[in-house]
């Protein structure tokens, strides 16, 4: 049995600097997700996590300036 839960939240960021930083991080994350999606599509939907991680991890870190915790596939 599969259960789906939708959560809607509103973030109250302390100031404009934090809001800008958060927006930039989310944009990089969005671009990284699109990068992974395009890779999977162009490689016949090879969905094995270990293979994806081996191929994409370093590129995700360098191209999108994400920290290691953000690059888990």
């Amino acid at each position: 049995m599969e259960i789906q839960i939708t959560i809607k939240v509103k973030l109250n960021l302390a100031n404009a600097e934090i809001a800008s930083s958060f927006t930039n991080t989310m944009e990089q994350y969005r671009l990284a997700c699109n990068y992974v999606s395009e890779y999977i599509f162009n490689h016949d939907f090879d969905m094995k996590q270990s293979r994806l991680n081996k191929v994409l991890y370093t590129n995700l870190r360098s191209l999108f300036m994400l920290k290691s915790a953000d690059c888990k596939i």
Side-chain angles (χ1 to χ4, degrees), residues 2-18:
E2 188 173 315
I3 297 174
Q4 181 176 339
I5 298 173
T6 302
I7 299 172
K8 182 177 179 179
V9 299
K10 180 177 181 179
L11 298 175
N12 291 317
L13 302 171
N15 58 49
E17 183 180 342
I18 292 172

Side-chain angles (χ1 to χ4, degrees), residues 38-52:
E38 183 177 336
Y39 178 87
I40 290 170
F41 184 80
N42 290 333
H43 291 86
D44 298 321
F45 296 92
D46 180 6
M47 302 293 283
K48 186 161 185 179
Q49 181 184 358
S50 60
R51 254 193 308 261
L52 290 172

Side-chain angles (χ1 to χ4, degrees), residues 29-41:
Y29 186 76
R30 182 187 67 78
L31 292 171
C33 288
N34 287 340
Y35 180 85
V36 171
S37 177
E38 183 177 336
Y39 178 87
I40 290 170
F41 184 80

